Amino acid sequence: MASTKLQKTFSSAGNRKTFTFSVWIKRGSVSSQAVILDSNYSGGANEHRLFIDNDDILEYYDYSSSAYQFRYKTNRKLRDVNGWYHIVCSVDTTQGTAGDRVKIYINGVQETSFSTAQNPSQNHDCILNNDQLHQIGTKNTGAAFFDGSMSHIHFVDGTAYQASTFGSTDSTTGEWQINTSPSVTYGTNGFFILKDG
């Protein structure tokens, strides 16, 4: 089982209303919780998490003030251990339409089928991109390590990009493929890591 993680504590908060997280993942096993992104403080009482749960569904949420501020659980199951998944979470809570505030894409297609779909309130400040611990590959307790591979991780502070910024459909095969050099503005706390492995 994997036990590798990346972590960073930002020196100051960035834009907590508008940001994008993009990652390519390849699962090493199924039917076990696998955390992709986690940010938390106060012992997990306030947290922002993207993960695959024990049932192989993707879950994305922001939790604070003893309640979920937004929460999405896909009906789709991510059980392929041979291919890569491209996941993009595009957040802009300033949007007037509630359904436009959080968009989740898998392999270039926006997810619309959810078992849980709770939208954030307008102008909600998320836990992510604050001046506290951020981790890739595990959650705050050091458990639920991601088993598999990750590549081309982008975090964009201040802009909500669509999946088409980071990938495109091959005109011959119809497969979703990576854009290795997307044109993005990373902002104050943004980064691009694991570009070459």
Side-chain angles (χ1 to χ4, degrees):
M1 186 58 115
S3 59
T4 303
K5 64 181 179 181
L6 298 172
Q7 64 183 35
K8 182 179 179 70
T9 300
F10 296 133
S11 59
S12 61
N15 191 326
R16 295 168 56 199
K17 294 179 175 67
T18 307
F19 50 82
T20 308
F21 182 77
S22 171
V23 61
W24 290 76
I25 65 168
K26 184 176 182 181
R27 301 195 68 188
S29 61
V30 296
S31 302
S32 60
Q33 191 175 109
V35 173
I36 299 167
L37 172 68
D38 183 82
S39 177
N40 75 88
Y41 64 94
S42 302
N46 301 277
E47 59 188 12
H48 188 105
R49 184 173 295 160
L50 174 66
F51 69 104
I52 300 169
D53 76 3
N54 294 324
D55 294 324
D56 301 312
I57 65 171
L58 187 71
E59 182 168 351
Y60 184 43
Y61 68 77
D62 191 83
Y63 184 90
S64 62
S65 302
S66 301
Y68 288 103
Q69 302 304 314
F70 71 69
R71 190 181 190 193
Y72 304 90
K73 299 174 72 172
T74 64
N75 284 314
R76 176 180 182 170
K77 295 181 182 288
L78 306 182
R79 289 179 168 161
D80 185 0
V81 294
N82 296 309
W84 287 83
Y85 291 108
H86 179 219
I87 299 170
V88 175
C89 297
S90 180
V91 177
D92 183 358
T93 67
T94 69
Q95 292 293 315
T97 302
D100 290 339
R101 294 173 193 156
V102 177
K103 297 178 181 178
I104 300 170
Y105 301 86
I106 300 177
N107 292 343
V109 178
Q110 184 177 347
E111 290 294 300
T112 57
S113 179
F114 298 98
S115 60
T116 299
Q118 176 188 338
N119 298 316
S121 60
Q122 190 172 19
N123 295 314
H124 169 66
D125 279 317
C126 298
I127 298 302
L128 192 75
N129 207 14
N130 207 345
D131 56 349
Q132 80 270 335
L133 181 64
H134 292 68
Q135 296 188 112
I136 292 173
T138 188
K139 62 183 178 180
N140 59 308
T141 57
F145 285 98
F146 182 84
D147 182 15
S149 301
M150 294 188 189
S151 183
H152 286 74
I153 302 175
H154 299 267
F155 175 64
V156 177
D157 177 357
T159 307
Y161 289 104
Q162 298 182 30
S164 57
T165 301
F166 306 97
S168 61
T169 302
D170 186 282
S171 59
T172 302
T173 65
E175 293 182 351
W176 187 249
Q177 61 185 10
I178 196 168
N179 178 356
T180 57
S181 299
S183 177
V184 301
T185 301
Y186 288 99
T188 303
N189 290 334
F191 55 79
F192 178 13
I193 57 174
L194 300 183
K195 180 177 181 180
D196 298 313

